[in-house]
Short mmCIF file of all heavy atoms in Angstrom, two decimals:
data_model
loop_
_atom_site.label_atom_id
_atom_site.label_comp_id
_atom_site.label_asym_id
_atom_site.label_seq_id
_atom_site.Cartn_x
_atom_site.Cartn_y
_atom_site.Cartn_z
N ASP L 1 0.83 -1.21 0.00
CA ASP L 1 0.00 0.00 0.00
C ASP L 1 0.87 1.26 0.00
O ASP L 1 0.59 2.22 -0.74
CB ASP L 1 -0.91 0.01 1.23
CG ASP L 1 -2.02 -1.01 1.15
OD1 ASP L 1 -2.28 -1.52 0.04
OD2 ASP L 1 -2.64 -1.31 2.19
N VAL L 2 1.89 1.26 0.82
CA VAL L 2 2.76 2.43 0.91
C VAL L 2 3.54 2.63 -0.38
O VAL L 2 3.64 3.75 -0.91
CB VAL L 2 3.71 2.28 2.12
CG1 VAL L 2 4.72 3.43 2.14
CG2 VAL L 2 2.92 2.26 3.43
N PHE L 3 4.09 1.55 -0.93
CA PHE L 3 4.87 1.66 -2.17
C PHE L 3 3.99 2.06 -3.34
O PHE L 3 4.44 2.74 -4.26
CB PHE L 3 5.58 0.34 -2.48
CG PHE L 3 6.89 0.17 -1.77
CD1 PHE L 3 7.06 -0.81 -0.81
CD2 PHE L 3 7.96 1.02 -2.06
CE1 PHE L 3 8.27 -0.96 -0.15
CE2 PHE L 3 9.17 0.88 -1.40
CZ PHE L 3 9.33 -0.11 -0.44
N THR L 4 2.72 1.64 -3.33
CA THR L 4 1.80 2.02 -4.40
C THR L 4 1.62 3.54 -4.46
O THR L 4 1.48 4.12 -5.54
CB THR L 4 0.44 1.34 -4.20
OG1 THR L 4 0.61 -0.08 -4.23
CG2 THR L 4 -0.55 1.73 -5.29
N PHE L 5 1.63 4.19 -3.29
CA PHE L 5 1.46 5.63 -3.25
C PHE L 5 2.74 6.36 -3.66
O PHE L 5 2.69 7.35 -4.40
CB PHE L 5 1.04 6.07 -1.85
CG PHE L 5 0.95 7.57 -1.67
CD1 PHE L 5 -0.10 8.28 -2.22
CD2 PHE L 5 1.93 8.25 -0.98
CE1 PHE L 5 -0.19 9.66 -2.07
CE2 PHE L 5 1.86 9.62 -0.82
CZ PHE L 5 0.80 10.33 -1.36
N PHE L 6 3.87 5.88 -3.22
CA PHE L 6 5.12 6.61 -3.42
C PHE L 6 5.83 6.28 -4.73
O PHE L 6 6.71 7.02 -5.15
CB PHE L 6 6.09 6.35 -2.26
CG PHE L 6 5.71 7.07 -0.99
CD1 PHE L 6 5.15 6.36 0.06
CD2 PHE L 6 5.88 8.44 -0.86
CE1 PHE L 6 4.78 7.01 1.24
CE2 PHE L 6 5.51 9.09 0.30
CZ PHE L 6 4.96 8.38 1.35
N SER L 7 5.49 5.19 -5.39
CA SER L 7 6.19 4.80 -6.60
C SER L 7 5.21 4.55 -7.73
O SER L 7 4.21 3.84 -7.56
CB SER L 7 7.01 3.53 -6.34
OG SER L 7 7.62 3.08 -7.54
N GLN L 8 5.52 5.13 -8.88
CA GLN L 8 4.70 4.91 -10.07
C GLN L 8 5.01 3.57 -10.75
O GLN L 8 4.31 3.17 -11.68
CB GLN L 8 4.94 6.05 -11.08
CG GLN L 8 4.57 7.42 -10.57
CD GLN L 8 3.07 7.57 -10.34
OE1 GLN L 8 2.28 6.95 -11.05
NE2 GLN L 8 2.68 8.35 -9.35
N LEU L 9 6.08 2.90 -10.30
CA LEU L 9 6.47 1.64 -10.91
C LEU L 9 5.60 0.47 -10.44
O LEU L 9 5.61 -0.59 -11.07
CB LEU L 9 7.95 1.34 -10.59
CG LEU L 9 8.96 2.37 -11.09
CD1 LEU L 9 10.37 1.98 -10.64
CD2 LEU L 9 8.91 2.47 -12.62
N VAL L 10 4.88 0.66 -9.34
CA VAL L 10 4.03 -0.41 -8.82
C VAL L 10 2.79 -0.53 -9.70
O VAL L 10 2.08 0.46 -9.90
CB VAL L 10 3.63 -0.13 -7.36
CG1 VAL L 10 2.72 -1.23 -6.85
CG2 VAL L 10 4.86 0.00 -6.48
N PRO L 11 2.52 -1.70 -10.27
CA PRO L 11 1.33 -1.85 -11.14
C PRO L 11 0.04 -1.58 -10.37
O PRO L 11 -0.08 -1.92 -9.19
CB PRO L 11 1.41 -3.30 -11.59
CG PRO L 11 2.82 -3.73 -11.34
CD PRO L 11 3.29 -2.94 -10.17
N GLN L 12 -0.91 -0.97 -11.05
CA GLN L 12 -2.19 -0.71 -10.42
C GLN L 12 -2.91 -2.02 -10.12
O GLN L 12 -2.96 -2.92 -10.95
CB GLN L 12 -3.07 0.16 -11.33
CG GLN L 12 -4.37 0.60 -10.66
CD GLN L 12 -5.21 1.46 -11.58
OE1 GLN L 12 -5.03 1.44 -12.79
NE2 GLN L 12 -6.14 2.23 -11.02
N GLY L 13 -3.45 -2.11 -8.93
CA GLY L 13 -4.14 -3.31 -8.51
C GLY L 13 -3.29 -4.26 -7.69
O GLY L 13 -3.82 -5.21 -7.10
N LEU L 14 -1.97 -4.01 -7.63
CA LEU L 14 -1.11 -4.89 -6.85
C LEU L 14 -1.42 -4.82 -5.36
O LEU L 14 -1.30 -5.82 -4.64
CB LEU L 14 0.36 -4.54 -7.09
CG LEU L 14 1.39 -5.47 -6.44
CD1 LEU L 14 1.26 -6.89 -7.00
CD2 LEU L 14 2.81 -4.95 -6.66
N ASP L 15 -1.86 -3.63 -4.88
CA ASP L 15 -2.21 -3.50 -3.47
C ASP L 15 -3.40 -4.38 -3.12
O ASP L 15 -3.42 -5.06 -2.08
CB ASP L 15 -2.50 -2.04 -3.13
CG ASP L 15 -3.54 -1.41 -4.03
OD1 ASP L 15 -3.82 -1.99 -5.11
OD2 ASP L 15 -4.07 -0.34 -3.69
N ARG L 16 -4.42 -4.41 -4.01
CA ARG L 16 -5.58 -5.26 -3.76
C ARG L 16 -5.20 -6.74 -3.87
O ARG L 16 -5.70 -7.58 -3.11
CB ARG L 16 -6.69 -4.94 -4.76
CG ARG L 16 -7.25 -3.53 -4.65
CD ARG L 16 -7.97 -3.31 -3.33
NE ARG L 16 -8.69 -2.08 -3.30
CZ ARG L 16 -8.20 -0.90 -2.90
NH1 ARG L 16 -6.94 -0.84 -2.48
NH2 ARG L 16 -8.93 0.19 -2.90
N LEU L 17 -4.33 -7.07 -4.82
CA LEU L 17 -3.90 -8.45 -4.97
C LEU L 17 -3.17 -8.95 -3.73
O LEU L 17 -3.42 -10.06 -3.25
CB LEU L 17 -3.00 -8.59 -6.20
CG LEU L 17 -2.46 -10.00 -6.49
CD1 LEU L 17 -3.60 -10.97 -6.73
CD2 LEU L 17 -1.50 -9.97 -7.67
N MET L 18 -2.30 -8.10 -3.16
CA MET L 18 -1.56 -8.51 -1.97
C MET L 18 -2.50 -8.66 -0.78
O MET L 18 -2.32 -9.56 0.05
CB MET L 18 -0.47 -7.47 -1.67
CG MET L 18 0.52 -7.93 -0.62
SD MET L 18 1.45 -9.37 -1.15
CE MET L 18 1.39 -10.38 0.32
N LEU L 19 -3.50 -7.79 -0.69
CA LEU L 19 -4.48 -7.92 0.39
C LEU L 19 -5.28 -9.21 0.24
O LEU L 19 -5.56 -9.91 1.23
CB LEU L 19 -5.42 -6.71 0.40
CG LEU L 19 -6.49 -6.68 1.49
CD1 LEU L 19 -5.87 -6.78 2.88
CD2 LEU L 19 -7.35 -5.42 1.36
N ALA L 20 -5.66 -9.56 -1.01
CA ALA L 20 -6.37 -10.80 -1.25
C ALA L 20 -5.52 -12.00 -0.86
O ALA L 20 -6.02 -12.98 -0.28
CB ALA L 20 -6.79 -10.90 -2.71
N VAL L 21 -4.22 -11.94 -1.18
CA VAL L 21 -3.31 -13.03 -0.79
C VAL L 21 -3.24 -13.15 0.73
O VAL L 21 -3.27 -14.26 1.28
CB VAL L 21 -1.91 -12.79 -1.39
CG1 VAL L 21 -0.89 -13.76 -0.79
CG2 VAL L 21 -1.94 -12.93 -2.91
N ALA L 22 -3.16 -12.02 1.42
CA ALA L 22 -3.08 -12.04 2.89
C ALA L 22 -4.33 -12.67 3.50
O ALA L 22 -4.24 -13.49 4.43
CB ALA L 22 -2.89 -10.62 3.42
N VAL L 23 -5.50 -12.31 2.97
CA VAL L 23 -6.74 -12.88 3.49
C VAL L 23 -6.82 -14.37 3.17
O VAL L 23 -7.26 -15.18 4.01
CB VAL L 23 -7.96 -12.13 2.90
CG1 VAL L 23 -9.26 -12.75 3.39
CG2 VAL L 23 -7.91 -10.66 3.30
N PHE L 24 -6.37 -14.76 1.97
CA PHE L 24 -6.38 -16.18 1.60
C PHE L 24 -5.44 -16.98 2.51
O PHE L 24 -5.79 -18.10 2.94
CB PHE L 24 -5.97 -16.34 0.14
CG PHE L 24 -5.93 -17.77 -0.32
CD1 PHE L 24 -7.11 -18.43 -0.63
CD2 PHE L 24 -4.73 -18.44 -0.45
CE1 PHE L 24 -7.08 -19.75 -1.05
CE2 PHE L 24 -4.69 -19.76 -0.87
CZ PHE L 24 -5.87 -20.42 -1.18
#
């Protein structure tokens, strides 16, 4: 989440994907 805000290199949607992985 933090890297998504500070870096444009992070693909859009990666924050949601990582959250889904954490819940899984």
